[in-house]
Every structure is written in C-alpha cells, then in structure tokens.
Amino acid sequence: MIPIALILLAIVILFCVAVVVSNPVAVTLSVFGLEIPLQTPAVFFTGAATMLVTIVALWLLRVGVRRERARRKELKTLKKAAKADAKATAATSTAATGSTASGSTASGSTASGSSAARPPVDSGPVVPQQSATGQAGIPPAGARQTGDGPTTTAADREALLAEVDDATRDDPPR
C-alpha cells in the first residue's frame, strides 16, 4: 500500500509541475458576473483546492454521522435500561408491600404451587434471617434488604441521563 501511495503522489506532483510549466495562457474567469483574469495553473490549483475542501467536508460529515448514531444508540440503551430497572424496582416494591399487606409469607407462596421461594433477579443481596423455628433461612420472595447503600429512582436516573446528554451535546445550548 505504501509504495502504491508514493507512486501516485509522485504522479500527481509531476502532473502539477507539467500544468504549471506548459500552460502560460491567461484565461478570464467569470464568477457571478465578475470577470477575473487568471493564468491556467491558477485555475488548475483552484480546482484542486476545491476538491480537497470537498473531500474534507465529506469526511467530517461521515465522522459526525457516525458519532451521532453511536450517541443515539447509547442513549437509547441507557433509557431502556433505566425503564427496565424502574419496572423491576416497582415490581419488587409492589411485591414486598403486597405480601406484607395481604399477610402472605414464604410458606404461603409454596402452598400456591411453587416448590422453592426464589427472589426476583433484581432482589439485591440475600441475607439469612431467623425463621419461626430459630434457624437461618432465605427471605420471602420479593423481600429486599434496606439500608444497603444509596438507591436511585427512575426519575433520578432520567435526570442523570438528561444531564449527561446536555454535557455531551456538540452544539451550544439555545
């Protein structure tokens, strides 16, 4: 690849030198009704500069589109995770308050058909508790240990996402 690139660069340089040396003709260029007298090499290099600016603009456009697409995908993933976490938190808190309000226990859930009381996937750490017989057991389904550390609500997570979105925005705020 490198030798091919060097050969192409040498050809371009030779071509540019040939244009400058072999074309001393003056040309009149008309732009928006304004006539500009130029030498042929100046017209050639103006076209080359225009092509270079076009290539840089297309490259910047490509980089910007890729960056924006990645940012939207990450934001979408974060919002989906926040909603799923909010639903899991709501379901866990509903299950915990519903089981205490209705008076059901872990033995009540085993009587309803499940053979083992398993905590939900997002139930937090499982801490052994004393059962009625005085032995350590697994807490009832949906029970959540409190005071484990800082917790965030769905609204807090959405506010954090909005703050990150504002901080990573490329254009200035209006």
Side-chain angles (χ1 to χ4, degrees), residues 11-166:
I11 291 171
V12 167
I13 290 172
L14 285 174
F15 185 73
C16 290
V17 169
V19 166
V20 170
V21 172
S22 65
N23 291 313
V25 179
V27 183
T28 304
L29 197 63
S30 176
V31 179
F32 300 117
L34 181 66
E35 292 188 8
I36 304 169
L38 293 173
Q39 297 291 327
T40 305
V43 174
F44 173 77
F45 287 119
T46 303
T50 303
M51 180 192 65
L52 183 63
V53 169
T54 303
I55 289 172
V56 169
L58 289 173
W59 177 75
L60 288 172
L61 183 65
R62 180 180 177 205
V63 168
V65 166
R66 282 185 175 184
R67 184 177 182 190
E68 185 64 27
R69 185 181 302 146
R71 192 172 142 261
R72 275 194 316 254
K73 184 177 180 181
E74 181 181 3
L75 189 61
K76 183 179 178 182
T77 304
L78 288 173
K79 284 182 179 182
K80 188 181 285 186
K83 285 181 182 179
D85 194 28
K87 286 181 182 179
T89 304
T92 304
S93 65
T94 303
T97 57
S99 65
T100 57
S102 65
S104 68
T105 61
S107 61
S109 66
T110 57
S112 66
S114 68
S115 61
R118 290 184 292 152
V121 175
D122 188 32
S123 67
V126 176
V127 179
Q129 294 180 343
Q130 295 292 335
S131 67
T133 62
Q135 296 179 354
I138 297 176
R144 189 173 190 91
Q145 187 72 17
T146 58
D148 288 342
T151 58
T152 57
T153 64
D156 293 339
R157 284 187 292 277
E158 287 181 15
L160 289 171
L161 284 172
E163 183 179 335
V164 168
D165 190 31
D166 290 339

